[in-house]
């Protein structure tokens, strides 16, 4: 096994082919553990994208020539928390060299003041507010890149990461792993809680109150606000660091 780091956003696919679906996506600075290879493809797990599919992280395949470097001694110092001229997505991880921000391959990168926070210093707004800033972002199956498009659980995962909360990659795991979860009516949810949909839980978003939620929905073309009653609601869940604002219970 070896540790690699993405220099830019990279598709993680279900099998070693560029023609199959993207199951998740790593962004700049995220780590991948290489387990093997086949015909120019690497079999990997993504440790920060937790999944019931593999205890080591989200499993899949990446193109061996697709923007990866050996991790070596590189460690992230900053996380991207806002739009920027370098077009780095939310959650991208940046290093530091002699006081300057650098990509994992050592190249310097310039971003505006306030776009980077020290790793471990969470943003001070709720996950639902972060998602509302992305209204209109295109829907992409497997996507987690805020400059290109996301799916529903990728959007939730990134927002919660910025809040300092690690959570699984997929909606069903996000519900199953929540410290608090309930099958009660959404009317019992707090603003900022996660609301889940589908008999086998295939959709997730942040509750906004008044029967509305924000999510990335394919049929809407991307990040939008919808009515909870439209989408086969099954339950809500609450994590620390960004879900369930105190005093917002209904």
């Amino acid at each position: 096994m070896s540790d690699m780091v993405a220099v830019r956003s990279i598709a993680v696919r279900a099998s070693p082919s560029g023609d199959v679906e993207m199951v998740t996506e790593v962004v700049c600075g995220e780590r991948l553990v290489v387990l093997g290879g086949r015909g120019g493809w690497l079999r990997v797990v993504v440790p920060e994208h937790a999944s019931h599919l593999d205890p080591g992280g989200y499993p899949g395949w990446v193109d061996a020539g697709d923007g990866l470097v050996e991790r070596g001694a590189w460690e992230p110092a900053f996380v991207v928390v806002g739009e920027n001229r370098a077009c780095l997505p939310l959650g991208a991880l940046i290093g530091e060299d002699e006081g300057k921000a650098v990509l994992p391959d050592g190249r310097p990168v310039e971003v505006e003041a306030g776009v980077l926070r020290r790793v471990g210093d969470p943003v001070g707004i709720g996950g639902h507010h972060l998602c509302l800033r992305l209204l209109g972002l295109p829907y992409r199956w497997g996507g987690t890149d805020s400059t290109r498009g996301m799916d529903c659980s990728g959007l939730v995962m990134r927002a919660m990461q910025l809040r300092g909360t690690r959570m699984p990659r997929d909606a069903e795991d996000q519900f199953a792993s929540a410290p608090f979860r309930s099958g009660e009516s959404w009317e019992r949810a707090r603003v900022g809680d996660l609301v889940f949909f589908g008999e086998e839980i295939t959709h997730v978003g942040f509750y906004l109150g008044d029967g509305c939620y924000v999510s990335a929905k394919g049929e809407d073309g991307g990040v939008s606000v919808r009515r909870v009653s439209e989408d086969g609601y099954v339950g809500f869940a609450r994590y620390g660091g960004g879900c369930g604002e105190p005093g917002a219970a209904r």
Side-chain angles (χ1 to χ4, degrees):
M1 293 191 297
S2 62
D3 278 12
M4 308 289 285
V5 178
V7 177
R8 57 180 176 81
S9 295
I10 297 173
V12 180
R13 301 193 180 276
S15 59
S17 169
D19 296 327
V20 302
E21 71 178 16
M22 179 168 65
V23 291
T24 193
E25 181 178 33
V26 293
V27 298
C28 176
E30 286 195 294
R31 181 168 64 100
L32 305 91
V33 178
V34 179
L35 305 177
R38 183 198 307 171
W41 289 81
L42 300 175
R43 184 168 63 89
V44 302
V45 291
V46 184
E48 293 306 310
H49 297 201
S51 172
H52 75 276
L53 298 171
D54 192 298
Y58 212 100
W61 295 79
V62 298
D63 188 327
D66 199 9
L68 294 170
V69 294
E70 293 282 350
R71 181 184 180 189
W74 184 84
E75 289 290 344
F78 305 102
V79 60
V80 174
V81 298
E83 291 185 72
N84 55 90
R85 58 175 170 257
C87 295
L88 293 165
L90 297 178
L93 297 167
I94 306 299
E96 185 177 25
D97 184 19
E98 297 182 352
K100 296 182 179 180
V102 295
L103 299 175
D105 60 2
R107 288 178 295 150
V109 60
E110 293 187 8
V111 294
E112 302 88 328
V115 167
L116 300 180
R117 283 182 184 263
R118 286 281 175 184
V119 169
D121 293 344
V123 298
I125 64 173
H128 54 300
H129 292 304
L130 289 165
C131 292
L132 288 170
R133 292 180 176 180
L134 296 174
L135 288 176
L137 180 74
Y139 181 89
R140 290 171 66 236
W141 179 270
T144 73
D145 182 327
S146 64
T147 70
R148 302 166 65 185
M150 299 180 171
D151 63 17
C152 63
S153 55
L155 175 68
V156 165
M157 181 188 72
R158 288 292 180 215
M160 294 298 285
Q161 281 180 342
L162 294 182
R163 289 287 302 157
T165 298
R166 186 176 186 270
M167 67 185 309
R169 169 63 178 85
D170 290 339
E172 61 178 318
D173 290 340
Q174 290 171 354
F175 184 75
S177 298
F180 173 80
R181 56 187 182 274
S182 173
E184 292 184 280
S185 167
W186 51 265
E187 295 178 325
R188 302 297 300 171
R190 296 176 178 177
V191 173
D193 281 349
L194 299 177
V195 283
F196 293 84
F197 306 85
E199 289 185 11
E200 297 181 359
I201 303 188
T202 55
H203 186 54
V204 60
F206 283 99
Y207 187 60
L208 299 175
D210 298 322
C212 295
Y213 76 105
V214 59
S215 183
K217 185 77 171 175
E219 63 193 69
D220 287 344
V223 179
S224 62
V225 175
R226 295 175 62 88
R227 301 292 301 178
V228 176
S229 57
E230 293 181 85
D231 294 318
Y233 167 84
V234 295
F236 68 91
R238 189 172 302 147
Y239 283 77
C243 279
E245 292 183 350
R250 296 179 59 82

